[in-house]
Amino acid sequence: MDFTSIYDPSVFDRFLTIGSGSYREVIHFYEDHRNKIENLDARHRFEIYVCYIEALFEMGKFKEVLFLVDDAIETAIEMGYSRLFGVDIYFNLLMKKAVALNEAGRVEDSLSIIRQLLSMNPDEPNVRYFFKEIMMNRSRKLVLPTRVFFIAGVITTTILMAIEALVIMPFYSDLIDPVSGVRNVLFLFSVLIFISGEVSRFLLIEWHCLLLIRSIKKHRPTNTIKGSNTRRVIRHKK
């Protein structure tokens, strides 16, 4: 008798009764029935395992996701599970790994996976958005001077307003217009510097992303083997 084929189908049936979006319940169910789930057939066991990773991800438990996601990716490759629940399971798990790495502070590893995902599907909007978000965070130093200037300008404007109200208006009324003019010009100039810095950074990232996507599409093979791409991605050190 093949004991590996014996399992309790009611475990999977009970799992299916969990409502969509009930991530905490999925986590509790998996952890409470771990031994019984291990006795399910490979497909059902993998489906629950992936849902467990999804629940951990949605609950912000990124360390746990990183601990489990590579095994899930390897299993998907070995068992040939290219699609699950209507989505590309390779792509979905790799995207979760990239986000989890970023949340764990491993930005370079995350960015490396995102570039791999872009090479697999350069038109995927979620990947492109996340790539831009990472690049925006990395380029904060570029706008540090403009932000410092803006804050200094706001502080100086506030000080001038106080001086104007406490000193200029009561005692030097003839200086009200010149001081007000200087204050207004300083404030507007600070705002313009701040806006120009933020817009320049945004345009720079957009241009960088556009060039990268164009380069990927230009050099991308017509037939991309997902398995080989995925194996190359998951070899990052845990």
Side-chain angles (χ1 to χ4, degrees):
M1 181 180 293
D2 184 7
F3 288 97
T4 60
S5 63
I6 299 176
Y7 66 94
D8 182 4
S10 64
V11 174
F12 188 74
D13 293 338
R14 277 182 284 163
F15 174 76
L16 293 178
T17 64
I18 300 175
S20 177
S22 301
Y23 302 117
R24 194 180 302 276
E25 190 174 349
V26 169
I27 293 173
H28 290 323
F29 182 90
Y30 182 88
E31 293 175 353
D32 291 342
H33 300 86
R34 193 185 302 266
N35 292 334
K36 291 183 178 180
I37 291 172
E38 288 298 320
N39 292 325
L40 293 173
D41 65 85
R43 178 76 180 194
H44 288 164
R45 184 170 63 249
F46 182 71
E47 288 178 358
I48 296 178
Y49 190 60
V50 169
C51 288
Y52 178 57
I53 293 175
E54 172 83 15
L56 291 171
F57 179 85
E58 295 296 336
M59 293 296 293
K61 298 179 180 295
F62 299 112
K63 289 184 179 180
E64 289 86 344
V65 171
L66 290 176
F67 183 75
L68 300 172
V69 69
D70 283 349
D71 289 337
I73 294 170
E74 289 282 11
T75 301
I77 295 170
E78 292 171 1
M79 302 300 292
Y81 299 146
S82 59
R83 297 190 68 82
L84 196 66
F85 310 118
V87 300
D88 186 327
I89 195 62
Y90 303 121
F91 208 88
N92 184 273
L93 290 172
L94 285 171
M95 184 64 184
K96 284 180 172 53
K97 180 177 181 179
V99 174
L101 285 169
N102 184 63
E103 293 293 332
R106 296 169 59 182
V107 179
E108 293 303 321
D109 288 340
S110 176
L111 193 57
S112 177
I113 293 179
I114 287 298
R115 289 195 177 101
Q116 290 283 355
L117 290 173
L118 285 172
S119 69
M120 293 165 64
N121 186 358
D123 295 318
E124 170 56 45
N126 291 330
V127 179
R128 294 176 70 163
Y129 174 81
F130 188 59
F131 174 75
K132 292 177 185 178
E133 184 178 346
I134 291 179
M135 296 304 295
M136 287 289 284
N137 289 333
R138 292 182 70 198
S139 62
R140 284 179 179 175
K141 292 182 179 179
L142 296 177
V143 293
L144 182 60
T146 59
R147 291 184 176 183
V148 170
F149 185 88
F150 172 71
I151 293 172
V154 171
I155 293 173
T156 304
T157 300
T158 304
I159 293 172
L160 287 175
M161 289 177 65
I163 293 174
E164 186 179 357
L166 298 174
V167 178
I168 303 298
M169 288 183 178
F171 306 108
Y172 304 97
S173 57
D174 56 324
L175 296 178
I176 291 177
D177 290 340
V179 172
S180 297
V182 170
R183 169 171 54 82
N184 292 335
V185 169
L186 177 61
F187 179 74
L188 290 175
F189 187 63
S190 300
V191 171
L192 288 175
I193 290 295
F194 174 78
I195 293 174
S196 64
E198 298 300 321
V199 171
S200 298
R201 180 173 67 141
F202 176 79
L203 293 177
L204 181 64
I205 298 305
E206 287 289 332
W207 180 247
H208 177 74
C209 182
L210 180 62
L211 291 179
L212 178 62
I213 298 301
R214 284 182 177 178
S215 176
I216 289 172
K217 289 183 176 181
K218 182 178 179 180
H219 300 95
R220 187 185 184 207
T222 54
N223 295 318
T224 302
I225 302 175
K226 290 183 179 179
S228 61
N229 281 344
T230 305
R231 289 182 186 277
R232 190 163 60 251
V233 172
I234 63 177
R235 285 174 183 166
H236 289 287
K237 293 185 289 184
K238 292 184 180 180

